[in-house]
Amino acid sequence: MSFRSAVITFPGSNCDRDMAEALAKVSGSAPLRVWHGDAELPEKLDFIALPGGFSYGDYLRSGAMAARSPIMKAVIAAAERGVPVLGVCNGFQVLTESGLLPGALMRNASQNFICRTVALKVENNQSLFTGGYEAGETIHIPVAHHDGNFFADEDTLDRLEGEGRVAFRYLESCNGSRRDIAGILNQAGNVLGMMPHPERAIEPEHGGTDGRTLFENAVHGLVHA
Amino acid sequence: MKVHIHVSLKPGVLDPQGRAIHHELEALGFAGVNDVRAGKLIELDVADDTSDDDLDQMCRKLLANMVIENYRIEKLETA
């Protein structure tokens, strides 16, 4: 059984190729490439990835335009049917702007673009994406963003924590995110948004392979399902 | 009809941009600036019969992110 995944490319996406490479390497089958203007997704997808980048030049707000592009209606419908959706960096911003995940990603508190490898704590290892990690494990994944400062009101933050939906937390001062949140899950657990780039930590040559576990778990978890 | 949409961060939401502007104003020697909040002004030119409800929906669906922002609709007098 081959793994059918799709990587969505918006105008200004720039991590779509890295995402496709990561999925191809881990799953053994190349993802389908989908353009933002398409109205429909390929059939029978096992996995959808929204890559990093600067879709629509970050006009209005990061992810705001992409979240309202034609393909996102299909992505939202697929997510609601339970298809796993991973949004990384700009993909996370698109997920919050589209309402698939709560909160918003604001300008980094330092106002600086942050580009370095950061230490993360795996808070929830019960999801499709994070099941390959140990609970509380420290992993190292690169970040590269200007708008990664996660904001949600206190009630929403309490709900996310209470429902175990904080997937990853920064273990070091990064971008000013509320409660150091680096990645969150939707209520059903099939949508993950995260600012760090797991697709940039796949091969030893990347400086680390901590991101590979996420893709391996998602791919194998699905094939065994 | 010309309409100005004023988008501002909700009270309590940290505004790094406003803070940087505040810092810069002080560095330029302006004393007595208590706080700075930066927002956006979006100028629309819409059909005269555009309803208030439509303007409201434009703000809610796209122009403002209701998680972090408030908006105010200002209709300008046409000369």
Side-chain angles (χ1 to χ4, degrees), chain A residues 102-159:
Chain A
L105 292 145
M106 303 181 57
R107 181 53 42 104
N108 294 341
S110 65
Q111 289 271 42
N112 295 317
F113 189 94
I114 300 170
C115 186
R116 65 166 194 265
T117 296
V118 297
L120 302 174
K121 181 183 177 191
V122 179
E123 287 287 350
N124 173 339
N125 74 333
Q126 301 295 309
S127 78
L128 172 70
F129 308 96
T130 58
Y133 299 107
E134 301 291 328
E137 183 179 346
T138 298
I139 60 172
H140 296 89
I141 306 276
V143 294
H145 60 249
H146 210 164
D147 295 326
N149 180 354
F150 182 74
F151 176 88
D153 61 42
E154 288 296 312
D155 288 349
T156 304
L157 292 168
D158 288 343
R159 200 176 73 239

Side-chain angles (χ1 to χ4, degrees), chain A residues 60-61 64-65 68 96-97 102-111 149 151-153 176 178, chain B residues 7 9 12-21 40 42 60-65 67-69:
Chain A
L60 192 64
R61 297 176 303 275
M65 299 298 176
R68 289 148 182 95
T96 58
E97 279 284 344
L105 292 145
M106 303 181 57
R107 181 53 42 104
N108 294 341
S110 65
Q111 289 271 42
N149 180 354
F151 176 88
D153 61 42
R178 289 284 170 111
Chain B
V7 180
L9 286 173
V13 175
L14 178 75
D15 178 9
Q17 195 174 201
R19 204 171 52 179
I21 296 167
K40 286 183 198 126
I42 299 166
R60 290 179 170 274
K61 287 188 174 170
L62 179 64
L63 302 178
N65 178 335
V67 176
I68 49 172
E69 293 170 331

